[in-house]
């Protein structure tokens, strides 16, 4: 009997465990575009277009390499509404009772696939460099989890930027050199963008028909959609932007959404590029003297450090993870996140860019939209849903730990020893947003006071019991306590008024 081999939309890799297990002469590769997966959250139209286009191209690639692919297209009358329904239809068509799945990075889907009434084999997704069991063992040996220690082990394990057992340059981490602001620069290299080919155009039409109500602009669409394009995007980044990556990593500019970031996360997450090949390319640039160590180390750390670390955390925490809420935040997500009006120039810029490009870089996600949601006491489940929906690279295994763990402190410190909150001063230092804002970043109270200033102190006051004893936050509490009582009262009153206005739908 033929066996069914499921290939999901973010499993587009020739060497995928499921494909290695397949016998092209008898097995059937099942790929399906189903409505349930495009609408589980209201995914950004560019993201749906990217995943469907990349799936179609990968299916063609597999067929050209001798596989039999049963491919279900969205909108075809016979396509079922959900993946389990589609798999059962294919099992009936081919008389098959065996299903091979490469473990998905989404607990909801994982559970749904395990429950399918066929003989299901769940294979490990070994495209990650650190298997979940190795991560769990690493966690078991430690009292406290810190990414930095994990990262050093990953450097040793991969040998990247190592001289024997020592880090090249005598230091593991060059982050202190990577916290600079940036200036507009017309000569800054732009990422490589791809004009849609006929296959992409067909999918763009389909997405226009079915998902025009989802938040986000579909066009212009310029993402790489197959391995060949992904390799071109990688080459371009490595040659043109990597040298400036470190210096500009944390900076934010209203008119330059990409700065020197790679935009490679969708390619890596879909499986079009492997994390190790990307890191090796960056490492080679350092050895060839074409990119400085702070840039190359910073870039590699994001991939073998943060990316692998959050995957481990996601697997460790299990299916209930998206409901964690250590700070008991319960407010609804304000309309500004879905494009509603706001006077805050920073939030406006980050959301507008997200709507137009399905992209914002790490610091915009963490210190603008994430910071504001945390200060405003938004229920992390809503924040999680938003991030999962709006970004081109968002898949639960990577989005949830970044949003819930790192950005919203929902895990109570598992992913960072203190919450990522800041007043307006940080945003002013790292961006050009404040110069164009209705609010005044230097005002701490009064009608023009920057909302981040008011909400920052209110957040610390609200969560005093939890954070005052945290050594990394004690100084902030001392500063707050030294302020005149009347000033503190004004801050708290104005912050309350601001939140009431926000939650009643007023554009703050
Ligand atoms: P670059 O800045 O060029 O970084 C290089 C690569 O490093 C990225 O392509 C990515 O593969 C990896 N990387 C960097 N930081 C992280 C990180 N924290 N976690 C995992 N990988 C990382 N990343 C996603 O891939 N999907 C998400 O859904 C996602 N959601 C996020 C939500 C929040 C609240 C925050 C704070 C971060 C999130 N990130 C997510 C991490 C990071 O913002 C993106 O990986 C990065 O912005 C992608 O753009 P880039 O390819 O230009 O990255
Ligand atoms: Fe954002 Fe405050 Fe600066 Fe305005 S003043 S851009 S709200 S940080």
């Amino acid at each position: 009997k033929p066996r069914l081999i499921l290939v999901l939309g973010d499993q587009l890799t020739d060497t995928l465990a499921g494909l290695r297990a397949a016998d092209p002469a008898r097995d059937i590769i099942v790929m399906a575009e189903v409505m349930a997966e495009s609408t589980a959250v209201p995914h950004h139209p560019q993201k749906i277009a990217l995943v469907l286009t990349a799936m179609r191209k990968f299916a063609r690639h597999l067929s050209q390499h001798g596989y039999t692919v049963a491919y279900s297209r969205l909108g075809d009358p016979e396509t079922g509404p959900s993946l389990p329904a589609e798999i059962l239809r294919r099992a009936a068509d081919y008389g098959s009772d065996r299903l091979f799945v490469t473990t998905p990075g989404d607990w909801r889907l994982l559970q749904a696939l395990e429950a399918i009434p066929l003989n299901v084999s769940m294979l490990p997704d070994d495209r990650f460099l650190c298997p979940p069991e190795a991560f769990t063992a690493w966690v078991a040996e430690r009292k406290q989890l810190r990414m930095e220690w994990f990262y050093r082990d990953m450097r040793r394990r991969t040998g990247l930027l190592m001289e024997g057992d020592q880090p090249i340059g005598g230091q593991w981490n060059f982050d202190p050199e990577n916290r600079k602001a940036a200036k507009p620069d017309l000569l800054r290299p732009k990422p490589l963008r791809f004009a849609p080919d006929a296959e992409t155009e067909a999918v763009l039409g389909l997405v226009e028909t079915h998902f025009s109500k989802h938040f986000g602009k579909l066009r212009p669409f310029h993402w790489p959609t197959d391995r060949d394009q992904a390799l071109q995007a990688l080459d371009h980044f490595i040659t043109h932007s990597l040298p400036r990556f470190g210096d500009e990593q944390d900076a934010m500019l209203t008119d330059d959404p990409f700065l020197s970031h790679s935009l490679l996360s969708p390619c890596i997450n879909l499986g079009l590029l492997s994390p190790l090949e990307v890191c090796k390319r960056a490492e080679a640039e350092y050895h060839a003297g074409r990119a400085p160590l702070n840039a190359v180390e910073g870039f590699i750390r994001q991939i073998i450090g943060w990316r692998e670390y959050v995957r481990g955390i996601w697997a460790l925490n299990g299916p209930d993870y998206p409901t964690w809420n250590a700070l008991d935040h319960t407010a609804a997500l304000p309309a500004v996140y879905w494009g509603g009006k706001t006077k805050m120039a920073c939030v406006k810029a980050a959301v507008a860019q997200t709507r137009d490009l399905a992209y914002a870089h790490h610091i915009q996600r963490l210190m603008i939209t994430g910071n504001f949601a945390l200060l405003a006491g938004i229920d992390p489940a809503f924040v999680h849903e938003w991030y999962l929906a709006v970004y081109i690279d968002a898949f639960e295994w990577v989005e949830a730990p970044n949003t819930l763990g790192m950005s919203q402190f929902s895990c109570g410190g598992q992913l960072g020893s203190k919450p990522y909150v800041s007043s307006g001063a940080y945003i002013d230092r790292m961006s050009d947003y404040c110069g164009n804002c209705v609010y005044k970043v230097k005002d701490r109270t009064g009608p023009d006071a920057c909302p981040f200033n008011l909400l920052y102190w209110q957040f610390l006051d609200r969560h005093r019991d939890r954070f005052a004893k945290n050594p990394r936050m004690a100084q902030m509490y001392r500063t707050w306590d030294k302020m005149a009582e009347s000033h503190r009262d004004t801050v708290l009153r104005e912050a309350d008024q601001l939140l009431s206005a926000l939650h009643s739908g007023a554009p703050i």
Side-chain angles (χ1 to χ4, degrees), residues 237 245 249 258 260-266 268-269 299 301-303 306-308 310 359-367 369-370 383 387-388 391-400 402-404 406-408:
F237 165 73
F245 177 84
Q249 198 180 347
F258 305 128
S260 296
H261 290 275
S262 71
L263 273 69
L264 292 175
S265 52
I268 306 175
N269 293 353
F299 181 72
R301 173 156 31 87
Q302 305 312 310
I303 297 179
W306 279 114
R307 187 174 188 275
E308 293 292 326
V310 299
Y359 178 85
H361 70 67
H362 186 75
I363 296 299
Q364 293 167 313
R365 299 188 205 193
L366 187 65
M367 297 311 293
T369 42
V383 186
Y387 278 97
L388 188 58
Y391 288 113
I392 193 81
D393 54 17
F395 298 90
E396 187 187 80
W397 67 266
V398 55
E399 176 278 329
N402 272 296
T403 304
L404 300 166
M406 191 187 302
S407 161
Q408 299 302 299

Side-chain angles (χ1 to χ4, degrees), residues 58-354:
F58 189 69
R60 184 158 41 80
H61 166 83
L62 290 180
S63 304
Q64 285 163 353
H65 285 79
Y67 290 97
T68 305
V69 184
Y71 194 94
S72 318
R73 290 184 173 225
L74 195 84
D76 283 356
E78 60 276 18
T79 300
S82 69
L83 267 175
E86 240 348 63
I87 290 165
L88 288 175
R89 180 167 78 93
R90 295 303 187 187
D93 286 352
Y94 292 97
S96 175
D97 56 8
R98 286 279 275 139
L99 172 69
F100 284 79
V101 179
T102 307
T103 307
D106 181 310
W107 285 111
R108 171 192 54 83
L109 190 57
L110 182 82
Q111 290 171 325
L113 293 173
E114 275 175 341
I116 290 181
L118 295 175
N119 184 349
V120 181
S121 298
M122 200 56 78
L123 307 172
D125 186 349
D126 51 16
R127 294 174 302 166
F128 293 92
L129 302 169
C130 179
E133 313 77 58
F135 188 80
T136 309
W138 182 86
V139 168
E141 285 166 12
R142 275 161 187 82
K143 281 211 186 84
Q144 248 198 347
L145 303 186
R146 287 293 163 260
M147 199 293 286
E148 183 63 25
W149 304 114
F150 171 80
Y151 165 60
R152 292 179 189 186
D153 282 355
M154 291 301 287
R155 288 272 293 277
R156 292 189 190 96
R157 198 183 302 181
T158 57
L160 286 163
L161 294 179
M162 295 296 288
E163 242 163 5
D165 61 354
Q166 291 304 310
I168 285 183
Q171 233 170 282
W172 292 101
N173 182 321
F174 290 83
D175 232 10
E177 293 175 33
N178 293 355
R179 293 186 186 130
K180 301 184 185 104
K183 289 207 164 61
D185 177 356
L186 290 175
L187 300 179
R188 183 179 287 112
K190 300 261 176 287
L192 191 59
R193 309 297 270 162
F194 298 86
D197 51 25
E199 209 156 6
T200 311
E201 269 304 338
V203 174
L204 293 180
L206 187 73
V207 173
E208 251 149 14
T209 308
H210 291 284
F211 306 105
S212 60
K213 290 206 169 68
H214 288 200
F215 172 75
K217 283 191 184 158
L218 175 63
R219 294 172 193 270
F221 179 94
H222 288 311
W223 295 98
T225 52
D226 55 35
R227 171 137 173 99
D228 187 46
Q229 291 182 349
L231 284 169
Q232 290 176 47
L234 172 62
D235 264 348
H236 185 88
F237 165 73
I238 294 282
T239 313
H240 298 289
S241 299
L242 177 64
R244 295 168 74 149
F245 177 84
D247 288 350
E248 302 189 336
Q249 198 180 347
D250 285 5
M252 298 173 279
L253 291 177
T254 314
D255 294 326
D256 194 340
F258 305 128
L259 285 145
S260 296
H261 290 275
S262 71
L263 273 69
L264 292 175
S265 52
C267 298
I268 306 175
N269 293 353
L270 290 186
L272 301 176
L273 295 175
S274 95
L276 197 55
E277 78 177 326
V278 170
C279 292
K280 285 195 165 152
R281 284 295 310 275
E283 184 191 35
E285 283 309 279
Y286 167 71
H287 287 306
R290 289 189 293 260
L293 188 52
N294 71 308
V296 174
E297 186 281 316
F299 181 72
I300 287 179
R301 173 156 31 87
Q302 305 312 310
I303 297 179
I304 64 167
W306 279 114
R307 187 174 188 275
E308 293 292 326
Y309 191 67
V310 299
R311 169 58 164 35
I313 292 281
W314 170 82
L316 184 76
N317 287 344
D320 291 342
Y321 186 33
T323 64
W324 290 17
N325 187 358
L327 298 181
D328 292 325
H329 284 173
T330 54
L333 192 71
V336 54
Y337 282 81
W338 299 112
K341 281 203 166 63
T342 178
K343 293 183 279 180
M344 294 180 285
C346 54
V347 176
K348 191 174 175 178
V351 173
Q353 172 185 325
T354 302

Side-chain angles (χ1 to χ4, degrees), residues 343-347 368 423-428 431-442 448-453:
K343 293 183 279 180
M344 294 180 285
C346 54
V347 176
I368 306 291
S423 65
Y426 172 84
I427 296 171
D428 192 30
S431 78
D432 65 355
Y433 296 140
C434 301
N436 298 318
C437 189
V438 172
Y439 295 108
K440 296 203 170 62
V441 71
K442 300 258 183 303
D448 295 336
C450 165
F452 284 87
N453 293 347

